[in-house]
Amino acid sequence: MTLLTKWSFGNRAAIIFLVVMALAMGVMSYRSLPMEFLPEADNPQVTITVIGQGYDAKSMESLVTTPIEDAVALVKGKKDMFSTSGDGFTKIDINFESKTNMKDAKTEVQEAIAQVQLPERVSKPFVVQLNTSMIPISQIAIAFQDGLTKENVDTTEKRIVTELQKINGVGSVALYGKTEPIVMIHVDPDNLTLHNLTAQDIINVLQGHHISASIGEKTIAGQTGNIKVSTSIDNIKTLQSLKVTPDLTLKNVSTITLKTSHDSVSRLNGNEVLYAVVTKDSSANAVTVGNDVQKTVDRLNKEVSKVQMDVFYSTSDMVVTSVNSMLREVLMGALFATVVILLFLRNFRATLITIVSIPLSLGITLYLLQLSGVTLNIITLGGVAVAVGRLVDDSIVVIENIYRKLEKQAFSIQMIIEATKEVSTAITSSTITTVAVFLPMGLLKGSLQAFLLPFALTVTYSLLASLIVALTVVPILSSVLLKNNKMKEHEPSKRFSSFLKWNLNHKWVPLLIAIVLFVGSIATYFALPKGALDSSDASYATVSLSYPSDTPNSKVLEEGKRMEAFLLEQPEPKYVLMQNGNSDDAAKWGNVVAPTKVDFTIIMKKDVNATTFLNHVEEQKNHYPEAKLETSGKSAATVFVDISADDVKMDPKILEISANELMEKAKAVEGVVKVTSNQKETKPVFTFKVDPTLANTQEVALKLQTMLNDIPIGQIKLDDQETTVKLAAMLDPENMPDLSHIMIRTNKGLEQVSSLARVEKTDEASSLFHKDGKPYIRVTAEADPAKLSIVGKNVESLLPSLTKYDGVSFTFGGASAQQADDFAEIGMTGLISIGIVYLIMIITFKTFRAPLAIMCSLPLAAIGSVLGLVISRVTPDFTAMFGALMLIGIVVTNAIVLIDRVKQNEEHMTIRDALIEAASIRMRPILMTAVATICAMLPLLFGKSEEGSIVSKSLAVVVIGGLSAATVLTLVIVPVIYELFFFLKSRRQRKAANTEARHSAPVPPTMSV
């Protein structure tokens, strides 16, 4: 590294040019780096959705869900599979191993289900695999003054959606809440009987009337051409004139009306709206696309008459807010570090030299991030915020050593080179060890790697850049700015030297205190409850009302509007979006819900507490006695137990008994807020049991279907739009006798269906759940976030006490189980990091014992980290473990700087004197680097954690507490342990020194008598 410093002095012009280029490239990279909320990461899950309007849950299970489950059973990389079959829909979630290539997995799933034959009136399966880059950029509400007329829907699809799709960087625009025109043919059954007609006669009316057919190719008038026959029905009058019989038209036996139909309902702040969701291309800049969407919306509001468009939710706004917040914390951290250096050195020029490393290192870091294809997001900015205090550490050590030598020696270039050389080994090894801590993050798998790797790269680039700056730019600036600067000599603390000497003479005292504190801190940590990430300041929340499956849709919507009115009365919401129903557009994104469920998405105003708001919402449960009111967005975490059947044919009541037993016991667990299960309410099912000797079951089913349901019978073209024609249900029975008295036509003429079949009523589940193709029930316990680990442990301990049934298995999971897995993975990464750090130090010091003494500083950090968590009353979460991982690299830096000086001193001092001198001389740079790092993290401690960031208050507490304790104790404990490792050599040196001192002492003169 000395060669690098010497080269810099020999090429000052090149260094100046490189500095200017680094700053310029940094600015250019910052302006051109794609800005996102989160780094791109695949969700290791593929979702299949199917819509089958009119099919009950049991039919969807047997005709749709099970065939698809069988088809994808052997897909490579599949870990487990969950499915929900409900009235009119099927949803299957396939979870994959984290190392699976999800694009290949999606393709394989699509190929597997392409061969599945599905029944009529069932949509083709939609297959979706989500990625963080697919998070919507903007969600837009589109309202019209005169309502959602056909013309307004056409305007939206042809003008507004088209304009949004033209925006550079937009990937897709999905539109929800569309209305579609439907022609309804209403027939009176008595009228059909009077004219001796059947429903099938009406269904056959459109057959062959709205087609275009090619009948071949002929040469006519010397030219070869195709011959086609076509016809179309383009108005209601033509439809009414179609012949049912030679003497009767459709108008004679029916009433034809045109109505609009909603595939789903969307309302924003009480107004019926169309709801557009805009996503971006994976390579596009989220902020740029979001701003262009807003500009387009503003322009269309002026250009399109009677329209009011609102961007009620924008991820780009969240990105800008997060980026600005993190940048503010970075700048505040840099300012605090500057103040600390100025207070220690009391020299403005020396402080200026040190601080130069921050913008230079950040400029180089931004350029390297751009070359690596890493985006600017809250994860990478979090890495900058964490590293900003560490960026000046190497420069502090270099400038402090130069500063100290200038206090005693005359200024010269050679003196600056020698001063840099003295500490170059220490700062190089300490920086490399810090970088090495983050290397094992490349060994992590799946989304955890996707989130941590950009963070690790950011810290690595910035630290390596700061090392290069410290070895090149700092010495050159020192030769310019400190040339004629007078320094007052800094005297090491004599009190500290005496204190350290006492501890070296009484090693058992500091060691015993350190061991007791360490053991106590570890015991305290395991006693602390492990929490989930806090979300009380969430920017949005969700509320849902779920009604029994037999509830009429009109009542569901009415009650939904009542809840909507209540939400709008509250002061916290800025926007309230109400949604009900399924649509193809929603299914394409894997979103299908029960038709009796109303969902509310609430965008919160700034600086409001989402938890308080949702608690107030939950107080309304008594006002909706028939509905299940659920909220999310609060600081809550869940654990669950899956109760599965090993046999598909097992009686589902056995699973229900086990689930009910577990739910009762789980309610008594301390910290459990609420216990629920996925057991849905039952729905009455009326079954016609046909006597096969009297009638054909399929024929009876078809005839009943046409009489009891709206049946699509064809299409006509109205206003250049293909419009569905439906035969309206002829009957609306209100009770079982009405069903039994339905008249159907048979070979014998008109007969009551009761003469051919008996009607039976049963109660069946409105939703059916499978796990890996077999029935299961999930019991979910919502936990207080601060007690997540305790709740998880106690709920899991209930499983052995449950009644055992043959073929029933229990699987524990949820946030606490995932948390335990994450903690274990981070813990393993920490062990690997410690091994790498130890190896680097062995190579640096070429011995085992000195690095081992340095590694003893790590347990000291644990003391401060746990003490910080206890004092601050912050519950440790995943980010706290990440902070502990970071401490491995940060804490050993101080010990390396200390031991490096000791090794230099040992060339001409005893071990005892080398330790005392090194601790006294290196105390100032060690305290400066530690305090600078701590102060740089204070904005993270007192600031607001950004949603989705791994930089939180918990992380800041762990790093600040650990570094504070380790810094103070390192100056005492590490020298004590070092001398203990070299105890025999040190004792011989001290004895030799004492003997030499006695021999060299002057002999007192003798007195003569």
Side-chain angles (χ1 to χ4, degrees), residues 637-813:
T638 60
V639 296
F640 63 78
V641 176
D642 287 342
I643 307 170
S644 308
D646 294 341
D647 187 356
V648 179
K649 298 179 180 179
M650 177 180 288
D651 186 352
K653 291 184 179 179
I654 295 178
L655 297 182
E656 293 176 11
I657 293 171
S658 297
N660 292 333
E661 181 183 1
L662 176 59
M663 290 177 68
E664 287 301 317
K665 292 185 176 182
K667 289 177 182 177
V669 173
E670 181 183 357
V672 170
V673 178
K674 182 171 61 177
V675 180
T676 59
S677 80
N678 61 1
Q679 298 178 82
K680 297 291 184 177
E681 69 285 342
T682 58
K683 181 178 183 178
V685 176
F686 300 92
T687 305
F688 289 87
K689 296 285 187 176
V690 179
D691 185 342
T693 63
L694 299 177
N696 183 291
T697 304
Q698 184 175 4
E699 290 181 0
V700 173
L702 289 173
K703 290 173 180 177
L704 289 173
Q705 184 181 26
T706 58
M707 302 185 76
L708 298 174
N709 298 297
D710 294 343
I711 303 297
I713 61 175
Q715 288 187 320
I716 63 175
K717 199 164 190 177
L718 296 180
D719 299 326
D720 295 325
Q721 180 180 354
E722 293 292 336
T723 304
T724 299
V725 179
K726 287 186 176 183
L727 177 62
M730 300 180 193
L731 300 174
D732 186 16
E734 297 181 355
N735 48 50
M736 285 188 66
D738 287 349
L739 286 173
S740 299
H741 297 156
I742 292 176
M743 303 295 292
I744 63 173
R745 185 175 296 279
T746 67
N747 295 333
K748 300 178 181 179
L750 286 175
E751 291 186 85
Q752 285 190 357
V753 72
S754 58
S755 64
L756 307 173
R758 68 179 188 276
V759 183
E760 294 181 355
K761 178 184 176 183
T762 56
D763 290 328
E764 295 182 6
S766 57
S767 293
L768 300 169
F769 302 91
H770 288 181
K771 180 179 181 180
D772 295 326
K774 299 174 183 176
Y776 88 105
I777 293 176
R778 171 168 290 183
V779 175
T780 303
E782 184 178 305
D784 181 343
K787 299 179 180 179
L788 175 60
S789 61
I790 295 175
V791 169
K793 181 179 178 180
N794 291 339
V795 170
E796 188 174 13
S797 67
L798 295 176
L799 302 185
S801 66
L802 298 177
T803 305
K804 301 294 187 298
Y805 295 97
D806 291 338
V808 175
S809 59
F810 299 90
T811 306
F812 177 77

Side-chain angles (χ1 to χ4, degrees), residues 52 89 240 472 651 825 1005:
F89 72 91
Q240 290 174 329
T472 56
D651 186 352
E825 198 159 1

